[in-house]
Amino acid sequence: MYTLSTIAFAFGLTLAAGLSTAIGGAIAVSRRNPGPAFMAVSLGFSAGVMLYVSFLEILPKGIEELQEVTMGEKSATFWGVVAFFGGIAIIAIIDRLVPEEINPHEPLNNNEAARRARLMKTGMFTAGALALHNFPEGFATFLAGLEAPSVAIPVAVAIAIHNIPEGIAVAVPLREATGSRQKAFWWATVSGLAEPLGALIGFALLLPLLGPTAMGISFAAIAGIMVFVSLDELLPTAEATGKHHHAIYGLIAGMAVMAISLLLL
């Protein structure tokens, strides 16, 4: 059974990671725009942390948990791999519900009211889609916080970094639609609450099942989710800045920092 302090720590990490969309909202409404090199390094760094910790820590931990349930090493590895790709399948299906980009190139009606209505619809749809997309990430962060705090902290930081552009994506069209910086900022912030909500709902539903088998499968699936997010979202976004080498340097730096932190802890 988890202590109250452990649950509070895990939830606090998840809440902080989710609410980093507020940083993106603040950037959007203040018209400050981080340079492409900074964004490439930051997103690459986040991907490096998530890839390294997924393959070197979270997936092996999941297989280790499965070995405790009278499974042999081969059987535990098999089910760990199945859960890993199951996690990828889950997040890939959810990802299909999220627009790859908000297309600004469609011809707009000259009528200002129509333009604002379109932007409002775009911003609200983006907020809802990203909230759905972030739901499993929240549970992943929360579960890592419960079981492996030393891993959970860098994972939470990595997720927080990649949530910042999501906050921008929500706030920009809503600011233009409403003319209100405050509303745009708060909607960007609210979209990040899906992560702590995912943590609470996932924990409430799975608490009776959180034995070694459930934990092992969950950790392996989380590793799959992290890998998919890194390869499908973070690295392509970093590359889209046009700063390829900065993205790769950030990726390697993220792996190196994660490796050193795990060696020291």
Side-chain angles (χ1 to χ4, degrees):
M1 186 61 65
Y2 302 105
T3 65
L4 184 60
S5 61
T6 300
I7 294 174
F9 169 77
F11 183 75
L13 278 181
T14 308
L15 182 63
L19 290 182
S20 66
T21 55
I23 300 174
I27 291 172
V29 301
S30 64
R31 294 193 181 277
R32 288 177 303 182
N33 187 28
F38 174 81
M39 291 298 294
V41 170
S42 297
L43 292 168
F45 184 91
S46 180
V49 168
M50 292 173 72
L51 287 171
Y52 190 92
V53 77
S54 294
F55 285 120
L56 273 296
E57 191 74 13
I58 298 178
L59 180 58
K61 185 171 180 59
I63 293 173
E64 181 183 327
E65 291 278 350
L66 291 172
Q67 286 179 340
E68 295 182 13
V69 203
T70 67
M71 290 187 181
E73 182 178 350
K74 188 173 182 179
S75 179
T77 301
F78 172 80
W79 288 111
V81 169
V82 169
F84 174 82
F85 285 102
I88 290 177
I90 290 170
I91 193 65
I93 291 170
I94 291 175
D95 196 63
R96 294 293 297 175
L97 301 176
V98 181
E100 291 184 6
E101 59 183 355
I102 302 302
N103 186 356
H105 302 120
E106 295 181 9
L108 289 176
N109 190 314
N110 288 329
N111 184 284
E112 181 65 16
R115 185 184 77 87
R116 286 181 177 271
R118 176 182 178 276
L119 287 170
M120 186 69 181
K121 182 179 178 180
T122 294
M124 296 301 293
F125 179 73
T126 303
L130 289 176
L132 180 64
H133 179 73
N134 289 339
F135 200 83
E137 291 179 9
F139 182 60
T141 307
F142 183 74
L143 195 59
L146 290 178
E147 293 294 319
S150 62
V151 173
I153 293 174
V155 166
V157 170
I159 289 178
I161 291 172
H162 106 265
N163 279 349
I164 293 174
E166 293 184 357
I168 295 173
V170 172
V172 167
L174 288 178
R175 178 182 176 179
E176 292 299 313
T178 64
S180 170
R181 295 187 180 195
Q182 187 175 31
K183 288 181 180 178
F185 171 78
W186 285 114
W187 273 112
T189 303
V190 167
S191 70
L193 291 177
E195 296 200 0
L197 183 62
L200 292 178
I201 293 176
F203 185 65
L205 294 177
L206 295 179
L207 180 60
L209 305 175
L210 286 180
T213 301
M215 292 301 296
I217 290 174
S218 296
F219 268 110
I222 286 168
I225 290 171
M226 297 291 192
V227 168
F228 185 91
V229 169
S230 298
L231 299 180
D232 182 70
E233 187 173 328
L234 297 179
L235 283 179
T237 305
E239 289 283 344
T241 63
K243 299 292 185 179
H244 167 78
H245 287 102
H246 288 77
I248 297 304
Y249 298 153
L251 176 76
I252 295 171
M255 289 184 172
V257 168
M258 189 69 248
I260 293 170
S261 68
L262 290 174
L263 288 172
L264 295 177
L265 294 173

